[in-house]
Amino acid sequence: MWKEVIVALRVTVVTLLLTGIAYPVAVTGLAQMLFGAQANGSLVLNEQGRVIGSELIGQSFSNPAYFWSRPSAAGDNGYDATASGGSNLGATSKKLHDRIATEVARLQENNPLAKEPVPIELVTTSASGLDPHLSPAAALWQVPRVAAARGLAPERVRRTVESLIEGRDIGLLGEPRVNVLHLNLALDRQFGRVQATASGG
Amino acid sequence: MTFNGWLQIILYSLVILSVTKPLGIFMFRVFEGDRQPLQRFFGPIERLMYRLCGVDPSSEQSWQQYSWALLAFSAFGVLVTYAIERLQHVLPFNPQGLGPVAPDLAFNTAASFTTNTNWQAYSGESTMSYLTQMAGLAWHNFTSAAAGIGVALAISRGLTRRLRPEDPRTIGNFWVDVIRSIVYVLLPICIPLALVLVACGLIQNFAPYVELTTIEGVKQTLAMGPVASQEVIKELGTNGGGFFNANSAHPFESPTPLTNFIEMVLIFAIPAGLTYTFGRMARDQKQGWTLFAAMAVLFLVGVGVAYWAEAGGNPVVNRLAVDQAAGNMEGKEVRFGITNSALFATITTDASCGAVIAMHDSFTPLGGLVPLVNIQLGEVIFGGVGAGMYGILIFALLAVFIAGLMVGRTPEYLGKKIEQREVKLAVFYILIFPAIILGFSGWASVAPYATSSLNNDGPHGLSEILYAFSSGAGNNGSAFAGLNANTLWWNTLLGITMLGGRFLMIVPVLAIAGSLVGKKVVPPSLGTFPTDGVLYVALLVGVVVIVGALTFFPALSLGPIVEHFLARNGKLF
């Protein structure tokens, strides 16, 4: 019986070293060698080489000339990539209902040219709070505001959005989507940078 | 619901169907074959591990020895992980300089990962150092899965071995089962797939968190870490413990629908394969496919209900000026959408995985009912790695017992008579589970120190409590995560719940294995109730559903069911 306890202790140590240390260290070594960019967070750099985001991690945008991300429950101000998570409010939660109502009112006020009802993705928080995407509908809904803020014809902004819609993986999996950071960077590239002074409230 | 959505669900089901046989045969050869596959490569590693551990691979254990080995190994598992958590501030791989984990949270987490639950009362990115994640937690993702496979093999051996009277009544060797699981099955799948996931965008590094300023001048800090290596085993071992708080919803854990698909396949792969392994052990492949079919029926019903409920959206929101065509998107990611969120929620709770890509707490009442019921049915719908197999075998024994009562014959399963001792142990297994869940939920729902942790009022609050204890006792680990479980009371009670839900259920299973292994095999006769075919599938599904429904329906009717009707009438809490 006590012999088994010694065996248990030895198996504990050996499996810990193999699966808890050697395995992740070896995978890290290989990953860094083979896929360094992804392994380090798919970071996006600006012309000066400074990190301005990760293409996988959502950010908040408030300038009317940029597309806005979904609301976020990560951290106190949203899009806190050290505090991922959702609101966890249930369907019958008054807090959820009131939050959505407030968000709808805010969006309508800031998007007077958008006539359709607000796409649900734009007023709901994601599971991670770091959703880097908008659905095509949620992006297209914002086109009139972005175009007006940049003094452009809506059609030109719409074309930029449409060119950046990613289809389903292998044509089947997941949902079509637009990466918000890519989209806003593309706008800046095509139509010039906006001054970071305006605020969308 | 869309055509594309159903296509995704069908594709997933077909992939699982197609991996079942090859993986099942592979595992049969690993655990029961005379010569293990890929011997030239893995043989030396296996033998080295036996030597380092002092294990004699040719010796076998009685059920008592097998249980003792498992319990001793698990006890060390709890202690080591507790120690790593408490000492992480002085140990390496802690670039963020995170402090020691609080004692109650460290106990809860150690119990959680040792029991294959991976309930997380903490937020990974702000609490656990890289060493704690790798060596304290992901280590258990391997060993607890391996232990589960061991128990499934043990009861399968009990049912299928044909011993002569002079043979010892042994059910295998726990250490050999664990070591072979790790060396032949888990690591060889994990290493290449971890790299595939990194290629798709998962991170894998030991770097400090990245500080950055966005183009609007907002500061953001990106949590880093060795994620991919943990992500693979977390799904393959049906553990479910996320590196980050948001689990697989976090884009660094699952950045694309393709990574999500791979992760979903990993969850069901081994549990589905084990049904085939079982058929091989029973020398009758139909026995394995019968169990597979019963699981598949329950799986498809669950997916259908969850998908329908979530696609319908939240009725309370409909009166606002929103377009809810996309469905109930609160707590869901755009890239996954409704289909994958509903599919994943069903898979992760059919299996005792507990990883999530959407927040179950924010599902519609019926959409959230599906994961909750899946757990309460005992996670036998493919189930946890090993745990699903031994769970469904207990139900299979009960099903022949009930059929035996109806036709007035001593029940048999695979030619072995199921008698008083086995039925008593099986009933103990069945009853301990609701006793823990309903007992503790009852306590929690009247205690202010427990209800103060709730995030939602009204019936949804009760659902949060029920879900927590079901998830703990079922060793699932997913949550209605609004519940703030990181309090002394919740950490302690859920820690006890997880330990009880694991070991008070495993020991009776091993006892059944021990009691069956020596039984004579009776040749089938006209009066033998066939345990393959459609009739038995229906009986087995019926027993699983009726036992679960009778036990939990009263509690569920006060939680998600009443909430469903209130939501339809626009009632808010």
Side-chain angles (χ1 to χ4, degrees):
Chain A
M1 192 133 142
W2 291 108
K3 198 181 132 274
E4 285 293 293
V5 175
I6 301 299
V7 175
L9 190 61
R10 289 166 74 169
V11 178
T12 300
V13 173
V14 170
T15 56
L16 182 83
L17 291 177
L18 177 67
T19 65
I21 305 284
Y23 159 70
V25 168
V27 170
T28 307
L30 289 169
Q32 289 289 338
M33 225 157 51
L34 298 170
F35 311 108
Q38 293 96 316
N40 293 316
S42 306
L43 301 176
V44 180
L45 310 180
N46 63 7
E47 302 87 58
Q48 290 83 44
R50 279 230 287 281
V51 181
I52 52 168
S54 159
E55 62 177 276
L56 299 178
I57 302 294
Q59 309 179 347
S60 61
F61 294 94
S62 55
N63 191 312
Y66 286 129
F67 284 86
W68 296 347
S69 304
R70 303 174 65 191
S72 160
D76 293 335
N77 303 311
Y79 290 97
D80 179 346
T82 60
S84 60
S87 74
N88 285 305
L89 295 171
T92 54
S93 161
K94 187 164 184 324
K95 263 190 244 163
L96 174 67
H97 176 271
D98 294 353
R99 194 203 73 206
I100 293 178
T102 310
E103 191 62 21
V104 167
R106 187 182 80 94
L107 285 174
Q108 283 173 334
E109 192 191 319
N110 285 290
N111 293 269
L113 299 169
K115 295 294 174 234
E116 292 82 39
V118 185
I120 188 73
E121 303 91 307
L122 264 187
V123 290
T124 45
T125 63
S126 63
S128 63
L130 303 173
D131 195 339
H133 297 116
L134 287 172
S135 65
L140 292 171
W141 188 85
Q142 301 183 46
V143 164
R145 182 198 77 235
V146 173
R150 288 177 177 261
L152 296 166
E155 200 41 46
R156 299 181 66 192
V157 177
R158 169 183 294 272
R159 271 205 298 278
T160 305
V161 174
E162 282 168 350
S163 70
L164 286 174
I165 293 177
E166 302 166 49
R168 296 190 160 97
D169 289 14
I170 62 165
L172 180 66
L173 301 175
E175 302 297 331
R177 56 205 183 274
V178 183
N179 185 299
V180 187
L181 180 58
H182 280 319
L183 176 57
N184 287 334
L185 290 174
L187 288 178
D188 277 357
R189 263 199 312 276
Q190 287 178 27
F191 308 115
R193 286 206 58 176
V194 286
Q195 297 307 310
T197 47
S199 162
Chain B
M1 293 191 282
T2 61
F3 179 66
N4 166 271
W6 286 110
L7 269 185
Q8 294 192 49
I9 292 167
I10 292 167
L11 176 71
Y12 176 76
S13 309
L14 291 177
V15 169
I16 292 302
L17 185 64
S18 62
V19 300
T20 299
K21 182 173 170 182
L23 195 57
I25 292 178
F26 180 78
M27 288 193 286
F28 177 81
R29 290 178 57 202
V30 167
F31 296 110
E32 297 292 286
D34 297 325
R35 200 179 135 79
Q36 278 63 45
L38 309 171
Q39 184 59 227
R40 182 167 296 181
F41 190 72
F42 295 115
I45 305 173
E46 182 192 2
R47 286 189 292 276
L48 175 67
M49 288 189 68
Y50 292 148
R51 220 174 24 253
L52 291 174
C53 301
V55 172
D56 171 13
S58 62
S59 74
E60 288 228 335
Q61 296 168 324
S62 68
W63 78 264
Q64 291 95 336
Q65 291 167 320
Y66 202 100
S67 309
W68 173 247
L70 185 145
L71 292 174
F73 185 47
S74 302
F76 281 121
V78 174
L79 290 175
V80 168
T81 294
Y82 183 83
I84 293 176
E85 290 178 82
R86 297 286 293 144
L87 298 172
Q88 68 174 8
H89 56 298
V90 294
L91 293 170
F93 292 114
N94 186 4
Q96 289 311 111
L98 297 168
V101 181
D104 58 322
L105 180 59
F107 158 71
N108 179 281
T109 307
S112 166
F113 280 74
T114 304
T115 57
N116 197 265
T117 311
N118 293 25
W119 171 267
Q120 298 175 283
Y122 60 90
S123 168
E125 58 263 49
S126 60
T127 316
M128 301 298 177
S129 76
Y130 297 159
L131 184 79
T132 307
Q133 297 266 21
M134 300 189 303
L137 308 181
W139 163 54
H140 279 300
N141 291 0
F142 284 93
T143 53
S144 66
I149 293 176
V151 177
L153 291 168
I155 187 168
S156 303
R157 290 179 188 127
L159 280 162
T160 58
R161 279 191 175 173
R162 296 170 183 177
L163 300 183
R164 288 161 300 178
E166 68 274 19
D167 287 334
R169 306 273 193 261
T170 56
I171 54 171
N173 183 318
F174 176 72
W175 307 117
V176 173
D177 289 340
V178 165
I179 287 171
R180 283 189 181 156
S181 295
I182 293 173
V183 172
Y184 287 94
V185 183
L186 301 177
L187 275 177
I189 299 179
C190 285
I191 294 170
L193 277 178
L195 292 172
V196 168
L197 291 181
V198 174
C200 296
L202 274 81
I203 58 173
Q204 181 74 27
N205 60 57
F206 297 122
Y209 294 2
V210 174
E211 315 265 350
L212 64 92
T213 307
T214 71
I215 51 176
E216 280 199 354
V218 180
K219 300 251 184 261
Q220 194 180 38
T221 303
L222 304 178
M224 290 282 130
V227 175
S229 56
Q230 189 156 332
E231 190 72 19
V232 180
I233 186 60
K234 149 191 150 186
E235 316 291 9
L236 182 66
T238 64
N239 300 279
F243 196 93
F244 300 111
N245 185 48
N247 211 294
S248 296
H250 196 295
F252 280 160
E253 290 201 22
S254 190
T256 66
L258 184 64
T259 57
N260 180 58
F261 193 83
I262 295 171
E263 291 177 17
M264 291 194 296
V265 170
L266 285 172
I267 297 175
F268 267 1
I270 291 179
L274 280 174
T275 63
Y276 197 91
T277 307
F278 175 74
R280 197 40 72 102
M281 290 169 78
R283 301 164 205 85
D284 179 1
Q285 222 50 67
K286 277 201 286 190
Q287 299 292 341
W289 283 121
T290 299
L291 300 181
F292 183 97
M295 295 168 166
V297 168
L298 288 164
F299 162 64
L300 291 171
V301 171
V303 176
V305 174
Y307 184 28
W308 166 77
E310 292 309 295
N314 179 359
V316 174
V317 176
N318 271 338
R319 28 181 188 189
L320 302 171
V322 294
D323 174 4
Q324 225 185 158
N328 176 32
M329 284 300 288
E330 181 68 20
K332 294 192 180 65
E333 303 282 304
V334 165
R335 62 192 181 282
F336 302 139
I338 296 295
T339 310
N340 283 287
S341 299
L343 179 59
F344 197 107
T346 310
I347 294 167
T348 197
T349 50
D350 279 344
S352 73
C353 183
V356 296
I357 64 165
M359 292 302 146
H360 296 180
D361 213 349
S362 295
F363 273 32
T364 60
L366 291 186
L369 178 69
V370 170
L372 182 52
V373 167
N374 281 339
I375 298 172
Q376 291 176 339
L377 292 182
E379 289 163 344
V380 292
I381 310 170
F382 297 101
V385 165
M389 194 64 213
Y390 62 72
I392 197 76
L393 286 173
I394 298 296
F395 278 106
L397 296 184
L398 275 188
V400 290
F401 173 67
I402 289 167
L405 289 181
M406 290 192 285
V407 297
R409 266 183 61 103
T410 311
E412 295 156 20
Y413 191 62
L414 306 181
K416 298 213 173 182
K417 280 197 164 28
I418 308 305
E419 291 166 300
Q420 197 187 27
R421 180 177 157 79
E422 292 81 50
V423 174
K424 272 188 183 162
L425 287 164
V427 168
F428 180 80
Y429 175 97
I430 298 286
L431 286 183
I432 191 76
F433 183 60
I436 296 174
I437 295 171
L438 295 176
F440 283 169
S441 294
W443 180 4
S445 53
V446 294
Y449 42 82
T451 53
S452 60
S453 285
L454 296 179
N455 186 47
N456 285 273
D457 297 323
H460 200 75
L462 179 66
S463 304
E464 284 184 341
I465 294 175
L466 269 178
Y467 200 104
F469 284 109
S470 301
S471 178
N475 294 153
N476 185 277
S478 68
F480 274 12
L483 178 82
N484 170 26
N486 189 12
T487 67
L488 182 62
W489 189 86
W490 280 102
N491 275 332
T492 309
L493 268 276
L494 281 168
I496 295 167
T497 300
M498 293 185 277
L499 293 170
R502 175 83 166 177
F503 300 111
L504 290 179
M505 295 174 79
I506 277 182
V507 173
V509 170
L510 291 172
I512 292 175
S515 130
L516 285 172
V517 73
K519 291 202 180 190
K520 284 206 314 281
V521 174
V522 196
S525 68
L526 265 180
T528 306
F529 188 83
T531 54
D532 53 22
V534 178
L535 181 62
Y536 187 70
V537 170
L539 181 70
L540 184 53
V541 168
V543 169
V544 170
V545 170
I546 289 169
V547 168
L550 288 182
T551 318
F552 291 106
F553 186 77
L556 292 173
S557 63
L558 296 174
I561 295 174
V562 73
E563 192 197 1
H564 169 70
F565 291 107
L566 292 171
R568 292 188 74 90
N569 292 318
K571 179 97 174 93
L572 294 174
F573 293 92

